[in-house]
Amino acid sequence: MKLAIVASLFASAAAFAPAAQQASSTQLAGKVGKEAFGTAIGAQIPLGFWDPLGLVEDGDAENFDRLRWVELKHGRVAMLAVVGYLVTYAGVRFPGAEDIPSGFAALDNLPGMVWAQAIATWGMMEAANQDQFKAPWGTADDEGASNADFKGDFRNGALDFGWDKQSDDWKKKKRTIELNQGRAAQMGILGLMVHDKLGNIDVILPLGPH
């Protein structure tokens, strides 16, 4: 089972590998791999800079930023997924959904209208959680005067909570925390899904009715 999980992780990472490595205008002054990104957010103990598939070996900063955003977004979704799984497994339900089971079993028991509402909600969340100063979904990255600090900064001049008043070290610490929590959540939801399919989720989550 452990081997299968590790293999699936490497297969997922391979999906983001560039098809061909060509010279890029965004390459960092001839630096490649660890030399280019060894001090970036996320390169920390115990692994440090870890790129076994060589996805950013060419030193392309634009490609690195894109992959970092992909990792950040997957982490945010995974954090929501873990919380949602734990809450529903513990027996918490919206009114009218008391009979719907948790985990994968819920997929066969959701009414069509619930699926429609879910898809509409996902669409609205996807539309809202992006840089509103640029064209939607990055279709014109060179247009618009964005005030985002980094890819994934979706404050859009509205939700700040004092971010701009903080020091660069504080911001780096908070971004690192989010990235690490997202990494842990991706492993967490994968583990929950595996044990759900194995039928022994109750062994690791004795949280009551589900």
Side-chain angles (χ1 to χ4, degrees):
M1 179 54 63
K2 292 182 179 179
L3 180 59
I5 293 176
V6 171
S8 67
L9 291 175
F10 275 100
S12 298
F16 298 107
Q21 299 293 340
Q22 299 178 347
S24 170
S25 59
T26 59
Q27 191 171 11
L28 297 179
K31 295 181 179 180
V32 297
K34 184 176 182 179
E35 184 183 9
F37 308 114
T39 59
I41 293 175
Q44 57 200 56
I45 58 174
L47 295 178
F49 176 79
W50 195 65
D51 182 24
L53 299 181
L55 301 182
V56 294
E57 185 61 32
D58 61 354
D60 188 335
E62 183 176 337
N63 181 52
F64 177 85
D65 289 342
R66 182 185 66 83
L67 291 175
R68 171 48 48 80
W69 159 231
V70 170
E71 179 184 19
L72 182 61
K73 183 173 183 178
H74 278 73
R76 290 173 174 174
V77 172
M79 286 188 277
L80 290 172
V82 169
V83 172
Y85 193 103
L86 296 178
V87 169
T88 53
Y89 187 85
V92 179
R93 297 289 189 277
F94 285 115
E98 293 84 356
D99 296 332
I100 296 179
S102 63
F104 283 109
L107 299 179
D108 296 327
N109 291 273
L110 291 177
M113 185 56 66
V114 174
W115 276 112
Q117 293 174 0
I119 293 173
T121 300
W122 297 335
M124 288 188 293
M125 291 176 65
E126 183 70 21
N129 288 282
Q130 60 178 293
D131 192 340
Q132 301 296 338
F133 291 90
K134 293 181 177 292
W137 293 282
T139 55
D141 289 339
D142 295 331
E143 296 181 8
S146 173
N147 59 359
D149 285 352
F150 55 91
K151 281 186 177 293
D153 175 7
F154 298 145
R155 292 172 297 147
N156 291 309
L159 300 175
D160 184 76
F161 300 112
W163 176 268
D164 288 331
K165 299 178 182 178
Q166 302 296 333
S167 66
D168 290 340
D169 288 341
W170 185 92
K171 292 179 181 179
K172 182 177 180 180
K173 178 181 178 180
K174 293 300 182 181
R175 290 181 60 192
T176 300
I177 290 173
E178 181 186 21
L179 190 62
N180 283 339
Q181 296 279 24
R183 289 170 172 174
Q186 290 177 75
M187 297 300 295
I189 193 59
L190 176 62
L192 291 172
M193 293 166 65
V194 169
H195 284 283
D196 190 325
K197 296 302 289 185
L198 289 175
N200 62 354
I201 192 70
D202 58 314
V203 176
I204 62 173
L205 291 180
L207 298 177
H210 58 280

